[in-house]
Amino acid sequence: METLYADIIINISHEALDRVFQYRVPFSLCEQIRVGQSVRVPFGAGNREQRGYVVRLSDQAEYDPKKIKEILSIEEDSVSAESRMIKLAYWIRENYGSTMIQALKTVLPVQDKMKQKEKKSVRLMLPKEQAPGLLDEYLGRHYAAKARLLAALMDEQTVSWERVTKDLKIPRTTVAGMEQDGIIRVETEMFYRNPGPGGMEAEAALPLNESQEKLIQEFKADYAAGERKTYLLHGVTGSGKTEVYLAAIEEVVRKGKQAIVLIPEIALTYQTVCRFTKRFGDRVSILNSRLSKGEKYDQWLRAKNGDCDIIIGPRSALFVPFPNLGLIIMDEEHEGSYKSEQTPKYHAREVALKKADMEGAAVILGSATPSLESYQKALDGKYRFWTLKDRAKEAVLPDVYIEDLREELKQGNRSMFSRRLYELIGDRLRKKEQVMLFLNRRGYAGFVSCRSCGTVMQCPHCDVSLTYHRDGKLRCHYCGYEEVMPEACPECGSPFIGTFGLGTQKAEAAIRKEFPEARVLRMDMDTTKRKHSHEEILKTFSEGRADILVGTQMIVKGHDFENVTLVGILAADLSLHANDFRAAERTFQLLTQAAGRAGRGEKAGEVVIQTYSPEHYCIVTAAAQDYEEFYRQEIAYRTMLCYPPVWQMLTVLLAGPSEEECKQTAQRMARVIQNSGIRVIGPGEASLAKVNDIYRQVLYVKEKDYKELVKVKDRLELWIDRQELPKDIHITFDFNPMSS
Ligand code: ADP
């Protein structure tokens, strides 16, 4: 039998996580040892026994085998929270490509032990009946400070430290002296920093409607039978998905287990948190990027100690170490923000499923516009399919109009507003109702289109939009295809061809010009830089102190404004022609959500979608709120062009200061892949070909089977290890990328 070695992290709660140590596995333990287990090992010069965690096993010694120490023992029942996390880190490393340290930093976001907050107070230890006598004695001897403290304690038994030092002005030496005499005791109580909204009045659960009840009964039955399934809850906005989450959590908590609720950061609003807090009180904890280090640490500790049952947060909340996890909920599961932008570029949905599997928890994925990935799995029977078809409250779905901007141009209307939208805005201003105007700039990556006929310049090989580069060329960032920017539209010959330049600022200016009487608010990256500006804008609008809110996709998430009866989407094409195979899916999601903002109250709503491609299936199906039809068309497109989720895709991004070195290394890597008989697309320039003087090249590999792609990544990692690559080239892997 070959000798087995294990890479071990020593005592992770105290040591910095930046290195592993190699140990030999004694023959007697070879059969038992697993990644993630905790072991006892001799450590340091004195060979002190320490606890460590196995992060990797291999049959190769990294240095002189004679100097490698041996593992002493495997700890029984060593599946602690940490070791489970390490196992998960290992899985992340393997499946997304990163170093073990990067993966560990992802799953163990809290590395430094932080001091917990303390609350100090002073308690009277002297029997109560002896106190008056002592007080007299103090007074007699003119011990004024002692007398003040004792008098206060005779009233209250314990007094806060703050009162002792600030109000009563007792010197510390006096306190120390009285403590030594056994008259008082200084007590310290630890408490958690709690970032949540405290002091909420509890709210009882709403009686579920019939559709919700059916789902919860099924959940309960599965749960009771010990079946931990994955459910995809497809329900239009306002259909009562959150009520279903709350009921499922209630069930899980009742069984003594805990729940993680994942929410995209942007949707993690005060309202959401309040709703959960009202139902579950102080058993709810929150994580978000705005918390201080100390607050984050305390939430982690609360979860670990079982001092809360529910944690709500963005994707990193997944790594909270609950002792007995029962359920993971992922709201808006289609959201791009669930994919990490840093290495390891993991997708929280996949990690959630893995974690749930490891810990025996159920998963509920919820969305009004599920990702193609999840919908396909639900159709295949891998997930349980749940639907909520109607809005829970009596609110009617809005009327939707598609306005053809090519037609407007033909009619001589060159403004930003179609005639219908212009008219409807005027109508709402007169009726004192509110308007939301939405401009999606994300994904705007310099595509070129004809304003006369709507043609968009596309790559003949990849069916994604070409990107305009400053050298006057159009390039496909998937395959590197390029052509010269045409002077006239190749379809209709019109000279009105160019990049699409429209921003929220421009839109705001246009509104102010056209409707000088309207009070206008703008919400985008520029106007929300300050800490609370986001909330302030929304508050101003919801209190009716503005008539029109214009903004980017920030305004379409989950806010309910009763008085909004008109939603205008100024240019639906902006995101449709992003140079990205997910462009149509993203556009569909945004349009559906934006349309869902209209008519949330008693009054009926109208939605105007302005576009140069009114016949595009994504626009037509979004207008009809027809997800099934959208899915059918989109999955056909993905199948035809071998894109995810039908095929699996790996992007390898190379970045470095020398364009030549970057290109050459990319070409060498492409050959490594080709030599194993696998087809590579590229190398080509990344969509952002140069950022801060760093050049970027990409390679794409598509395979039917995800495991095959992981093998490609493994092969490349091995190759990278063995090469003398230029030091400043940075290589990252991205599986099934979410952004271009
Ligand atoms: P979603 O999460 O799908 O957007 P919500 O759970 O937020 O939907 O529900 C939308 C609205 O309908 C909320 O105001 C909620 O209080 C209400 N609602 C949900 N379920 C019920 C129910 N069973 N009875 C009465 N009102 C409900």
Side-chain angles (χ1 to χ4, degrees):
M1 198 157 78
E2 273 187 273
T3 314
L4 194 58
Y5 297 93
D7 288 349
I8 286 174
I9 284 188
I10 305 293
N11 208 1
I12 52 156
S13 50
H14 304 304
E15 298 279 318
L17 286 173
D18 56 357
R19 82 169 278 215
V20 292
F21 298 88
Q22 199 173 37
Y23 284 83
R24 190 179 7 262
V25 184
F27 285 125
S28 58
L29 299 180
C30 278
E31 290 283 309
Q32 267 169 279
I33 198 146
R34 300 277 179 278
V35 169
Q37 268 169 336
S38 69
V39 290
R40 310 292 304 185
V41 291
F43 186 70
N47 277 336
R48 273 211 6 237
E49 197 177 311
Q50 288 280 6
R51 173 197 264 183
Y53 294 92
V54 182
V55 296
R56 193 177 77 105
L57 293 167
S58 87
D59 51 20
Q60 305 222 333
E62 304 273 316
Y63 58 106
D64 183 0
K66 284 201 241 34
K67 293 195 179 139
I68 298 185
K69 297 176 193 171
E70 211 164 67
I71 292 175
L72 301 171
S73 60
I74 297 176
E75 293 200 341
E76 281 308 313
D77 193 22
S78 65
V79 203
S80 64
E82 277 94 350
S83 73
R84 279 203 307 260
M85 287 298 184
I86 285 165
K87 222 167 158 177
L88 192 62
Y90 191 75
W91 184 86
I92 288 176
R93 194 212 97 80
E94 289 291 284
N95 279 274
Y96 298 101
S98 72
T99 62
M100 192 61 204
I101 297 301
Q102 284 167 325
L104 282 170
K105 283 192 171 149
T106 305
V107 304
L108 300 168
V110 175
Q111 293 160 45
D112 310 320
K113 220 174 156 125
M114 307 234 351
K115 238 180 118 132
Q116 256 189 283
K117 282 254 181 202
E118 300 172 346
K119 217 190 271 172
K120 257 163 87 173
S121 57
V122 174
R123 173 192 287 274
L124 182 65
M125 301 308 287
L126 190 73
K128 243 192 150 151
E129 57 282 5
Q130 294 177 23
L134 185 63
L135 184 61
D136 284 345
E137 192 186 325
Y138 283 163
L139 290 170
R141 293 187 182 193
H142 303 288
Y143 291 162
K146 282 187 178 180
R148 268 202 313 280
L149 182 54
L150 185 58
L153 284 167
M154 282 162 67
D155 286 346
E156 294 167 43
Q157 196 75 28
T158 41
V159 172
S160 77
W161 185 251
E162 209 172 20
R163 214 178 132 215
V164 171
T165 51
K166 296 223 172 93
D167 300 347
L168 300 172
K169 295 198 170 52
I170 314 288
R172 277 161 203 261
T173 45
T174 309
V175 176
M178 286 172 75
E179 192 171 22
Q180 244 175 21
D181 295 342
I183 295 160
I184 57 166
R185 193 162 75 200
V186 179
E187 296 186 328
T188 316
E189 191 191 353
M190 300 294 202
F191 71 98
Y192 296 120
R193 281 157 274 230
N194 191 353
M200 295 245 141
E201 249 180 66
E203 212 170 72
L206 290 171
L208 296 179
N209 62 34
E210 208 175 311
S211 330
Q212 290 166 327
E213 187 62 37
K214 215 176 116 235
L215 305 182
I216 281 303
Q217 287 310 333
E218 189 179 318
F219 180 80
K220 283 185 181 169
D222 288 344
Y223 215 81
E227 288 184 47
R228 304 291 183 258
K229 292 187 179 149
T230 302
Y231 307 84
L232 174 65
L233 174 51
H234 177 206
V236 295
T237 14
S239 58
K241 294 187 292 298
T242 310
E243 284 307 313
V244 173
Y245 304 153
L246 289 164
I249 294 172
E250 217 162 77
E251 175 67 9
V252 167
V253 170
R254 219 162 45 82
K255 294 252 156 82
K257 301 200 172 214
Q258 300 89 36
I260 296 174
V261 182
L262 299 179
I263 289 185
E265 174 98 35
I266 193 164
L268 187 59
T269 55
Y270 186 70
Q271 288 99 309
T272 320
V273 173
C274 289
R275 208 158 150 194
F276 278 81
T277 311
K278 278 181 186 162
R279 193 67 64 84
F280 298 106
D282 59 4
R283 303 298 293 173
V284 178
S285 173
I286 314 156
L287 277 178
N288 68 48
S289 60
R290 276 176 247 153
L291 299 192
S292 69
K293 251 180 143 180
E295 284 173 328
K296 276 188 194 155
Y297 176 75
D298 280 7
Q299 305 325 302
W300 191 83
L301 205 64
R302 274 179 85 186
K304 191 172 169 203
N305 294 341
D307 287 337
C308 72
D309 299 320
I310 300 145
I311 195 124
I312 311 177
R315 58 168 194 264
S316 58
L318 203 49
F319 303 115
V320 155
F322 274 129
N324 205 352
L325 183 68
L327 174 65
I328 302 176
I329 285 172
M330 190 176 212
D331 191 31
E332 313 271 9
E333 65 87 32
H334 62 274
E335 271 293 321
S337 64
Y338 283 127
K339 177 92 194 256
S340 168
E341 282 168 0
Q342 288 158 1
T343 301
K345 296 188 170 182
Y346 70 92
H347 197 298
R349 189 197 310 120
E350 293 158 5
V351 178
L353 290 169
K354 180 69 193 170
K355 186 174 161 77
D357 181 45
M358 280 168 52
E359 302 187 26
V363 178
I364 301 178
L365 308 169
S367 174
T369 50
S371 63
L372 263 75
E373 277 78 2
S374 297
Y375 202 77
Q376 191 191 40
K377 289 215 169 78
L379 287 181
D380 288 350
K382 290 185 182 127
Y383 302 162
R384 212 27 117 74
F385 212 155
W386 280 357
T387 38
L388 288 175
K389 287 213 158 56
D390 306 306
R391 284 190 169 170
K393 289 198 258 186
E394 292 295 319
V396 219
L397 287 172
D399 286 331
V400 184
Y401 309 101
I402 300 176
E403 294 304 310
D404 185 347
L405 289 173
R406 298 169 304 188
E407 200 50 42
E408 296 293 318
L409 190 70
K410 267 194 211 144
Q411 302 290 331
N413 176 10
R414 288 210 194 175
S415 91
M416 207 175 270
F417 310 106
S418 59
R419 287 157 298 167
R420 187 191 292 268
L421 183 58
Y422 183 87
E423 241 169 63
L424 290 176
I425 294 176
D427 173 67
R428 295 314 193 270
L429 291 175
R430 278 190 297 280
K431 287 192 194 148
K432 304 260 177 283
E433 293 174 2
Q434 288 176 301
V435 180
M436 281 169 96
L437 296 177
F438 166 62
L439 189 68
N440 173 34
R441 271 166 66 213
R442 192 169 90 180
Y444 164 59
F447 72 89
V448 171
S449 68
C450 170
R451 290 196 67 183
S452 302
C453 73
T455 293
V456 173
M457 298 299 293
Q458 289 205 311
C459 172
H461 310 298
C462 302
D463 210 13
V464 295
S465 309
L466 294 170
T467 304
Y468 178 74
H469 286 243
R470 275 197 216 137
D471 58 5
K473 296 222 175 94
L474 301 179
R475 288 202 183 90
C476 169
H477 89 103
Y478 280 106
C479 72
Y481 168 87
E482 61 175 48
E483 64 179 63
V484 179
M485 166 87 176
E487 284 175 8
C489 172
E491 288 296 320
C492 75
S494 155
F496 292 118
I497 185 161
T499 50
F500 213 116
L502 187 58
T504 33
Q505 223 166 341
K506 229 166 143 181
E508 184 191 0
I511 297 159
R512 288 189 191 281
K513 188 160 156 264
E514 302 278 353
F515 304 98
E517 73 281 18
R519 295 165 302 166
V520 185
L521 279 174
R522 172 162 65 97
M523 184 153 139
D524 57 21
M525 290 284 258
D526 296 332
T527 62
T528 52
K529 280 193 187 123
R530 280 184 306 111
K531 197 168 176 190
H532 296 293
S533 43
H534 196 253
E535 287 87 357
E536 278 163 26
I537 297 175
L538 293 174
K539 192 157 176 273
T540 309
F541 191 61
S542 75
E543 287 171 0
R545 286 184 279 132
D547 306 303
I548 302 178
L549 174 63
V550 54
T552 54
Q553 62 264 28
M554 278 181 198
I555 67 173
V556 305
K557 302 279 175 205
H559 314 288
D560 265 343
F561 300 110
E562 300 248 317
N563 201 31
V564 171
T565 55
L566 175 65
V567 169
I569 292 141
L570 296 180
D573 310 58
L574 277 185
S575 57
L576 188 54
H577 301 301
N579 51 10
D580 175 357
F581 70 89
R582 295 187 201 271
E585 183 180 6
R586 230 173 248 145
T587 304
F588 178 83
Q589 290 160 353
L590 282 165
L591 295 182
T592 312
Q593 271 173 359
R597 297 302 108 207
R600 305 280 286 193
E602 314 247 296
K603 295 170 224 153
E606 283 173 305
V607 178
V608 179
I609 299 177
Q610 304 192 143
T611 173
Y612 289 97
S613 352
E615 63 293 313
H616 194 290
Y617 63 89
C618 141
I619 309 251
V620 176
T621 52
Q625 303 258 332
D626 187 351
Y627 179 88
E628 281 79 13
E629 181 56 23
F630 168 74
Y631 175 83
R632 239 172 31 81
Q633 303 238 19
E634 181 66 13
I635 204 82
Y637 156 77
R638 304 275 179 99
T639 309
M640 194 167 73
L641 289 154
C642 308
Y643 283 124
V646 187
W647 283 59
Q648 312 293 322
M649 186 162 157
L650 168 65
T651 308
V652 185
L653 178 72
L654 294 93
S658 154
E659 190 176 12
E660 205 39 49
E661 279 182 355
C662 225
K663 261 190 195 158
Q664 274 179 10
T665 313
Q667 276 157 359
R668 285 172 66 197
M669 288 179 83
R671 277 197 295 277
V672 173
I673 306 171
Q674 276 155 352
N675 287 344
S676 56
I678 287 167
R679 213 167 74 87
V680 184
I681 308 166
E685 278 187 357
S687 61
L688 283 169
K690 186 176 159 192
V691 184
N692 281 335
D693 288 323
I694 298 291
Y695 292 88
R696 293 149 50 94
Q697 290 272 322
V698 275
L699 292 170
Y700 296 94
V701 187
K702 291 187 207 168
E703 279 286 328
K704 276 224 128 144
D705 188 355
Y706 195 94
K707 288 204 190 86
E708 290 303 315
L709 278 188
V710 173
K711 279 190 206 155
V712 170
K713 180 225 40 169
D714 289 346
R715 200 166 297 139
L716 288 175
E717 278 182 337
L718 211 65
W719 181 83
I720 293 164
D721 269 354
R722 291 189 187 145
Q723 303 302 307
E724 288 284 318
L725 291 182
K727 276 223 159 36
D728 40 18
I729 284 199
H730 191 67
I731 300 169
T732 46
F733 297 99
D734 192 353
F735 286 83
N736 293 337
M738 292 294 279
S739 56
S740 51

